[in-house]
Amino acid sequence: MNEYNNNLKWRYATKKFDSERQISRDDLEEVLEAIRLSASSYGLQPYHVFVITDKDLRKQLKPSSWGQSQITDASHLIVFANQVDFNSKLIDSYLHNVSETRNIPAKGLEGYGDFMKSKLLQLPKDTKAQWTAKQVYLAVGNLLSAAASLKIDSCPLEGFEPEAYNKLLNLDEKGLNASVVVALGYRAQEDETQHYKKVRAPKEELFTHI
Ligand SMILES: Cc1cc2nc3c(=O)[nH]c(=O)nc-3n(C[C@H](O)[C@H](O)[C@H](O)COP(=O)(O)O)c2cc1C
């Protein structure tokens, strides 16, 4: 069994974190880098990521998170916020980055920019928000795998009220929406969930080879 899948077997959605244990700065940098390196459609990364350690803020977020203990007990709380709407600025700033990073004159990227704009900017606002949220999930998947590779426990959470998060984090005014939360840290010894067998669809059901 390769190391990657071994790590996926090791990880589980941690229900109870050890509130005494903190992720080291180096490990945190590694898992955040896995978010940053995540693929996204056209490379646009249409989201922002909040790394929350502030205890008071986390206490305030807990009641709006189905009272889940991971919100306050994990070492770090990662809130992924997708852009609810976007305009040509998103594409232009990406192209500026491409131009700088690869040392390509901006003029040579105009055609590609126009293509992206023709595909994305005329989408209805709801569709844009769904599309940006989809990009978030790729980064979430990477984060869970990267954390597992460092034996950092995690719990992805959709069990929260986005409106309350948006309010507490002032996301509305930034054109953002809290879409997924990931608690990161270390499992508590007494978390029984760690001993549960993994439940997954059998491969005959999940895959069709054609
Ligand atoms: C997007 C997403 C949202 C989830 N939301 C919650 C949640 O709010 N609370 C929770 O305890 N687990 C949550 N889970 C964990 C899943 O229930 C869990 O990943 C699934 O049952 C598979 O189990 P495993 O991750 O332990 O292998 C979520 C998982 C995903 C991927």
Side-chain angles (χ1 to χ4, degrees), residues 11-13 15 68 70 137 155-159 198 200:
R11 65 148 298 280
Y12 72 106
K15 303 294 172 208
Q68 300 187 78
Q70 298 97 320
Y137 281 79
C155 185
L157 298 120
E158 272 179 336
K198 277 228 173 293
R200 293 293 190 268

Side-chain angles (χ1 to χ4, degrees), residues 5-14 141 143-145 147-149 151-156 187 194 198 200:
N5 283 350
N6 271 340
N7 290 331
L8 294 187
K9 285 185 174 169
W10 174 85
R11 65 148 298 280
Y12 72 106
T14 303
L143 170 60
L144 301 185
S145 304
S149 75
K151 296 289 181 277
I152 293 171
D153 285 299
S154 62
C155 185
R187 64 189 71 177
Q194 65 190 290
K198 277 228 173 293
R200 293 293 190 268

Side-chain angles (χ1 to χ4, degrees), residues 105-149:
K107 201 92 193 112
L109 298 166
E110 272 174 9
Y112 184 45
D114 289 345
F115 174 74
M116 283 194 271
K117 287 174 187 172
S118 75
K119 294 287 168 206
L120 294 172
L121 298 184
Q122 36 76 30
L123 294 173
K125 197 177 165 195
D126 279 1
T127 311
K128 280 183 180 169
Q130 282 166 16
W131 177 77
T132 56
K134 284 183 196 170
Q135 311 311 317
V136 161
Y137 281 79
L138 289 169
V140 169
N142 268 356
L143 170 60
L144 301 185
S145 304
S149 75

Side-chain angles (χ1 to χ4, degrees), residues 50-123:
F50 295 84
V51 181
I52 308 181
T53 47
D54 186 281
K55 281 192 180 358
D56 282 344
L57 176 59
R58 287 168 60 171
K59 257 191 211 151
Q60 290 178 64
L61 291 169
K62 189 175 175 183
S64 310
S65 316
W66 302 357
Q68 300 187 78
S69 66
Q70 298 97 320
I71 302 297
T72 45
D73 294 353
S75 167
H76 289 72
L77 198 66
I78 313 294
V79 176
F80 288 84
N82 62 306
Q83 294 190 13
V84 288
D85 197 4
F86 54 82
N87 53 33
S88 56
K89 252 194 181 159
L90 172 72
I91 294 158
D92 290 336
S93 86
Y94 169 70
L95 289 178
H96 180 72
N97 192 357
V98 175
S99 163
E100 296 276 302
T101 307
R102 296 186 176 156
N103 207 10
I104 302 172
K107 201 92 193 112
L109 298 166
E110 272 174 9
Y112 184 45
D114 289 345
F115 174 74
M116 283 194 271
K117 287 174 187 172
S118 75
K119 294 287 168 206
L120 294 172
L121 298 184
Q122 36 76 30
L123 294 173

